[in-house]
Amino acid sequence: MAGKIELRDATTADAPLLRAWRNDPETRRASHNPAAVGEAEHTAWLAASLASPDRLLLVAQSGDEPVGVVRADRDPGTDTWELSWTVAPPARGRGVAKAMVRLLADRLPGPLRAEVRAGNTASIRVAEHAGLTLDREHDGVLHFRRPARA
């Protein structure tokens, strides 16, 4: 189990770390887009992410150690947030994803959703732990949802 996990806002200083995690082979296999991301593309993505009022990008830390990143994107014209996450390769298997995704999900009162590739057992458990339930499967992608909280 992970030590105490805390979330902090991502910054431009996190760019090299976030890109390394994104380009990790295991992360790429689980992603919708498995291609490696170049430095210029990642820098532009991070700048746009940090400037967007419809995106929350948070780095999970265990003490002083960054252990993952969790993101929430507001669907255009709605109050629904789509969650996604990546765990730092050295932190895998320690419960980091469950902890960080649950922390973010608990902050968001609106409806939530997440897409997980079929067969990604770890991420299925993460979505369920965050209170999302399987809604449907389409083209090898599992769609999880949580209704708005009262």
Side-chain angles (χ1 to χ4, degrees):
M1 176 60 111
K4 181 174 166 104
I5 300 293
E6 295 181 335
L7 299 177
R8 65 165 175 80
D9 291 336
T11 70
T12 56
D14 294 310
L17 191 60
L18 298 180
R19 182 172 166 250
W21 293 346
R22 166 58 181 85
N23 283 337
D24 174 74
E26 189 172 326
T27 299
R28 289 173 47 203
R29 277 192 293 279
S31 297
H32 287 300
N33 177 359
V37 176
E39 185 175 354
E41 179 184 0
H42 188 266
T43 299
W45 172 86
L46 183 57
S49 293
L50 297 177
S52 174
D54 292 321
R55 176 170 283 170
L56 302 173
L57 186 64
L58 304 165
V59 174
Q61 295 212 172
S62 178
D64 291 335
E65 177 189 8
V67 292
V69 63
V70 61
R71 188 176 84 219
D73 292 300
R74 189 180 357 244
D75 289 338
T78 74
D79 61 350
T80 299
W81 293 88
E82 180 178 4
L83 304 180
S84 60
W85 54 90
T86 301
V87 175
R92 290 183 182 138
R94 296 180 7 202
V96 168
K98 282 184 177 180
M100 69 181 183
V101 174
R102 182 65 179 258
L103 281 170
L104 181 54
D106 287 349
R107 286 186 189 182
L108 300 170
L112 302 178
R113 65 185 195 87
E115 296 180 358
V116 176
R117 291 181 76 152
N120 185 341
T121 306
S123 284
I124 291 167
R125 288 186 186 133
V126 169
E128 292 171 343
H129 183 76
L132 287 79
T133 56
L134 182 62
D135 180 52
R136 65 188 171 92
E137 179 178 354
H138 181 72
D139 289 337
V141 176
L142 305 175
H143 297 260
F144 288 85
R145 296 202 177 277
R146 185 198 78 187
R149 293 191 169 160

